[in-house]
Amino acid sequence: METVRKYLQFFVAIITNAYTLFPWTKNIYQGPLKTLCSPGLNCYSCPASTTYCPIGAIQQLLLGIRFSIETGSYYIGSYVFGSIGIIGALTGRITCGWLCPFGLLQELLYKIPSGKKRIIPNQLKYIKYFVLVLFVIAFPLILTDEWGMGKPWFCKFLCPAGTLEAGIPLIILQPDLRGTLGYLFYNKLFWMIVFLLWSTISSRPFCKTTCPLGAFYGLFNKRSIFQLHLHESNCTDCGACLHVCPMNIQFNRNVNSSECIYCLRCMTVACKFNAISIQCAGVPLTRILKKV
């Protein structure tokens, strides 16, 4: 199952960044596929990206609301909110574990031999909710200029995926942009380096501490149609699930935690007592998945 998950992660990373003409056009893809919502964190401005980022799209909607109201234009943005709402309601944070390119990168970096691996303090998981509420929602909506326009605060000041996928490639493709580099770029470059280096010693640090998309999807974990189920009579509280979990969760003590990315390693790799099963809308899938 872990091999299948890795193949799917690579496949999604490729198809959401499938515009191969960017070395010649030196521009961002603007074709019809750009109207599709990427399920994971994948920067709109990446020259190879064929989809838009849900977090970036939400900010773009919110930062223009006050201007729209003042000019008599009203945009609800039901397509953007509906897209990620449907993804969250159906799957919870499965997207994080199976479909997110930046999550895949962190997992690959964690495999690099780097001495003692370190567990991220559990208290840091709350930071991503502050990032979601403040940087993605409140700041773009409230902190506006004289024209009533806000800024995409998360994309502009923090997102490491944007720096890696868009910022660095664009200044390579368009040398004229190098003269405009300043504090904003170097600030984001700093955070990108922090998270990439952190990923070599800790599992998925950006996902655990900062990602607003993971924070949003996690709100649906206990209500999505995909659910992990604990069979208490079979559980021995051995802690094997904790040792294989990339998010450092002991499943039997926090069933369908908002931190769970449904990688299924607890079920398919760790548990030897059939204490964990998975269901889709109440239909058991465990036997099928264990054969994969």
Side-chain angles (χ1 to χ4, degrees):
M1 179 55 63
E2 185 66 9
T3 301
V4 173
R5 186 173 74 93
K6 279 290 180 287
Y7 277 126
L8 183 57
Q9 285 176 300
F10 277 111
F11 176 73
V12 172
I14 291 171
I15 63 171
T16 54
N17 294 281
Y19 183 62
T20 57
L21 297 180
F22 72 87
W24 294 274
T25 64
K26 301 185 185 301
N27 285 313
I28 300 168
Y29 170 74
Q30 297 288 351
L33 293 177
K34 210 70 171 193
T35 59
L36 299 178
C37 175
S38 171
L41 199 68
N42 196 64
C43 187
Y44 177 97
S45 297
C46 172
S49 175
T50 54
T51 56
Y52 71 81
C53 174
I55 291 297
I58 289 174
Q59 291 172 96
Q60 289 297 327
L61 285 171
L62 296 178
L63 66 83
I65 283 182
R66 293 179 66 177
F67 177 79
S68 298
I69 293 175
E70 291 174 3
T71 57
S73 302
Y74 303 98
Y75 299 100
I76 299 175
S78 57
Y79 176 73
V80 174
F81 288 107
S83 295
I84 64 171
I86 289 173
I87 293 171
L90 292 178
T91 67
R93 281 191 82 175
I94 288 180
T95 293
C96 303
W98 292 73
L99 306 177
C100 182
F102 200 68
L104 170 62
L105 175 62
Q106 292 174 85
E107 290 186 6
L108 295 176
L109 290 173
Y110 187 64
K111 292 181 178 296
I112 297 175
S114 56
K116 184 179 180 181
K117 303 294 185 179
R118 300 184 180 277
I119 296 174
I120 298 173
N122 192 51
Q123 294 81 356
L124 296 183
K125 70 180 182 181
Y126 297 107
I127 295 175
K128 60 181 173 288
Y129 297 101
F130 285 102
V131 172
L132 174 62
V133 172
L134 296 179
F135 281 76
V136 177
I137 299 174
F139 290 167
L141 186 62
I142 298 172
L143 303 180
T144 60
D145 59 20
E146 64 271 20
W147 303 101
M149 294 292 291
K151 299 177 182 178
W153 281 75
F154 175 73
C155 296
K156 193 169 185 177
F157 295 99
L158 189 55
C159 183
T163 307
L164 182 65
E165 297 178 355
I168 294 175
L170 285 175
I171 63 173
I172 294 174
L173 293 170
Q174 302 178 24
D176 292 345
L177 293 177
R178 298 171 191 173
T180 66
L181 299 182
Y183 163 75
L184 290 178
F185 176 78
Y186 293 111
N187 171 68
K188 285 188 63 179
L189 184 64
F190 167 78
W191 287 114
M192 183 197 78
I193 293 172
V194 166
F195 283 112
L196 294 184
L197 292 178
W198 195 0
S199 296
T200 64
I201 61 172
S202 297
S203 176
R204 284 179 168 252
F206 181 72
C207 303
K208 289 183 181 179
T209 67
T210 312
C211 182
L213 189 58
F216 178 81
Y217 285 150
L219 298 175
F220 295 89
N221 265 12
K222 293 185 182 297
R223 300 171 182 84
S224 65
I225 66 170
F226 283 95
Q227 292 283 298
L228 285 172
H229 180 69
L230 174 67
H231 301 274
E232 295 185 9
S233 59
N234 293 350
C235 181
T236 63
D237 196 28
C238 64
C241 52
L242 174 64
H243 297 308
V244 301
C245 179
M247 302 300 284
N248 195 41
I249 303 167
Q250 185 162 341
F251 178 76
N252 63 304
R253 298 185 181 180
N254 199 346
V255 179
N256 293 307
S257 163
S258 60
E259 298 300 299
C260 179
I261 59 173
Y262 294 95
C263 66
L264 305 184
R265 295 182 69 189
C266 57
M267 183 184 77
T268 60
V269 177
C271 187
K272 307 301 181 184
F273 304 98
N274 296 317
I276 305 173
S277 63
I278 187 169
Q279 300 177 347
C280 175
V283 178
L285 301 177
T286 305
R287 290 184 179 180
I288 298 173
L289 293 177
K290 283 197 172 184
K291 291 179 180 179
V292 176

